[in-house]
Amino acid sequence: MPVPLQLPKICVCIGHADAHHAADLAVASCDRGESFLELRIDHLDDPGAGPGIAERIIRSHPGTTVVATCRRAPYGGQFEGPLDQQVSILLEAVAAGAGIVDIEIEAFADRPDVLAPFRGICTTLVSFHDFARTPELAPVIRRLAATGADILKVATLVQRPSDNLRLLALCEDRDNVVVAGMGETGSVARLVSPARRGLFTYAAPDAPASGQGCTELAAAPTAPGQISAAAVRDLYRVQSASADTPVFAVIARPVGHSMSPLIHNRCFRELEYDGLYVPMLVEPDDITDFFHTARKLPIRGASVTIPHKQSVIPHLDRVDEAALEIGAVNTIYWDQGRMCGTNTDAQGIVEPLSQRVRLDGAQVLVVGNGGAARAAIVALRREGARVAVTGRNPERVRRLAGQLGANAVAFERLAGEYFDVLVQATSVGMLPDAEGNLFPNRIPADVVFDLVYNPVETALLKRARADKRVTISGVEMFVEQAAAQFRIWTGMEAPRDVMRSAVLGRRVG
């Protein structure tokens, strides 16, 4: 049976040990408008209950396409039975209304004709999984194609940015391929593939809100790196993206905390700009690989954050004067075929402070020695402030102060010092370590600006507010620097209210 026409771009994966819970979660997903589900029968404590769940889905929502999966334990699933029992359960699921069956490639070694019972009664999908790496893929796709299945699925652990390119390349020459990049680095393949001829992408279910007679349902991903259906549909707008949609990214390690995908994708939607902004975890040793990927994909622009702001510089075709003086790049963009770097952090620091303090002549203490600290020192000295720098690594502090013309102050000697402004420019206090605070006792300044924006109110800001100090959240810096990035990439003025509202957890419009 051929691939169904107009197959939705998002397949929501339903996996739970309890059959009643799995059925409720599946129906709730359909109630919210989902029309394409994968039912992970192998996740059930009683896999024999799987066909009944498929029947309930189809009975309540007749237009739903259901993929029945009962993957055996040695091959990445949880089904402990033999191949004969697996095939029997899948046939029952088809009889109950499932339109697609997923059978792992390893089954063909045991039974080369394993698809025979399914031909003509449903669409067949044969899948390959590698949970350890992304291997050489040409032999994999040839092996899958040789089975004669209608749909070919490749899911691998993405270890490097370029693994995404190799997965996406599988979609170029065939119109029946599904790829899934597992792990945080694989979000590019997950989100971009439907626009690059991939049949669809997999997503985790959204847990329905409690109330109105509906109990709250747990909705766990069924694979590492799986993104929620709501995010795939509404934030990343996978269903409307095309091969011409510009791709942007934030590169970081870690990257899961970043709000950049949230704010930029919200702005794209608000201004009806055709763009897709994705998170990309990049290990320090993979910077060269990232630039190869960025040029080949291509990535139209990128936000650069911890720990890559300095290490990207040698890989760029051009870096502007401000970024060179700061010694850090937080924004990558293309200009006349050249990949360029700049730094918008300085604007994000000066603008919020200048609204509270006269910076010319102000005494400012900057804490940190990374890219954000460098941006703060350079920007504030340009405004006429007298800048001191401190941190937990005295040698790096002294080196940074000497390079940028600031005064070095030993962290342990701050008890006798006082400043007009404290700029906290380290990652201390950032989620998931939200309780971190370099100044749990005395805060040596009247105005406290913490550049960490996630959480919005850090432990330092809570303490400063309790001490009646003027506080500035990193949200303000984040919005200003992001608005500058948005303008560089799109030529449009960013809707700052949308950005601010997104960070604070509210929707605009």
Side-chain angles (χ1 to χ4, degrees), residues 143-435:
R143 186 180 169 198
L144 293 172
T147 67
D150 300 309
I151 300 174
L152 315 180
K153 173 188 173 182
V154 178
T156 66
L157 179 67
V158 172
Q159 298 174 300
R160 313 180 71 196
S162 60
D163 289 345
N164 290 287
L165 291 178
R166 297 197 289 130
L167 285 169
L168 291 171
L170 298 179
C171 304
E172 294 177 359
D173 299 325
R174 298 176 180 271
D175 60 5
N176 65 336
V177 173
V178 179
V179 298
M182 293 188 285
E184 279 190 283
T185 309
S187 61
V188 175
R190 285 188 178 277
L191 295 169
V192 174
S193 61
R196 304 291 177 93
R197 298 190 66 194
L199 269 182
F200 56 85
T201 192
Y202 291 93
D206 306 313
S210 59
Q212 297 182 341
C214 178
T215 57
E216 188 170 353
L217 299 173
T222 60
Q226 213 170 69
I227 302 167
S228 74
V232 173
R233 180 182 57 252
D234 301 327
L235 180 64
Y236 295 105
R237 299 184 297 167
V238 161
Q239 291 163 305
S240 62
S242 71
D244 297 324
T245 297
V247 177
F248 303 86
V250 54
I251 64 169
R253 185 188 187 278
V255 75
H257 69 282
S258 176
M259 291 188 186
S260 293
L262 177 65
I263 68 167
H264 285 293
N265 283 313
R266 288 269 185 90
C267 289
F268 290 161
R269 186 180 64 186
E270 178 75 10
L271 299 180
E272 298 183 347
Y273 177 84
D274 182 26
L276 173 62
Y277 187 111
V278 300
M280 185 183 292
L281 186 147
V282 178
E283 298 288 347
D285 291 341
D286 286 333
I287 284 295
T288 299
D289 188 78
F290 161 74
F291 276 95
H292 167 74
T293 303
R295 288 182 164 91
K296 290 287 186 179
L297 190 58
I299 291 176
R300 183 75 61 86
S303 305
V304 184
T305 185
I306 297 171
H308 303 308
K309 290 187 177 184
Q310 293 166 289
S311 61
V312 298
I313 292 176
H315 300 275
L316 293 163
D317 300 319
R318 189 178 72 227
V319 179
D320 68 21
E321 182 180 346
L324 286 175
E325 184 178 3
I326 293 169
V329 162
N330 81 325
T331 305
I332 295 172
Y333 64 99
W334 288 91
D335 182 28
Q336 298 180 338
R338 304 177 74 192
M339 190 172 279
C340 305
T342 188
N343 193 303
T344 64
D345 285 338
Q347 179 177 329
I349 292 165
V350 168
E351 183 63 26
L353 276 175
S354 62
Q355 296 175 11
R356 278 94 166 176
V357 181
R358 178 182 172 84
L359 292 175
D360 188 9
Q363 298 209 38
V364 181
L365 176 66
V366 175
V367 186
N369 53 62
R374 297 180 69 91
I377 294 167
V378 170
L380 292 167
R381 290 192 74 244
R382 283 183 170 183
E383 297 295 319
R386 289 175 287 176
V387 180
V389 59
T390 191
R392 293 171 294 181
N393 188 315
E395 183 180 345
R396 289 185 178 180
V397 166
R398 286 193 295 270
R399 187 185 310 124
L400 180 62
Q403 291 172 348
L404 300 182
N407 296 320
V409 179
F411 193 78
E412 61 272 14
R413 295 183 181 178
L414 288 175
E417 301 287 342
Y418 207 79
F419 301 86
D420 298 309
V421 176
L422 167 65
V423 178
Q424 202 291 116
T426 77
S427 60
V428 174
M430 179 185 295
L431 287 174
D433 301 316
E435 298 306 313

Side-chain angles (χ1 to χ4, degrees), residues 464-482:
R465 181 166 54 82
D467 288 350
K468 309 300 183 184
R469 311 295 168 87
V470 176
T471 61
I472 307 175
S473 167
V475 170
E476 296 196 38
M477 183 263 196
F478 183 62
V479 167
E480 286 301 323
Q481 63 82 28

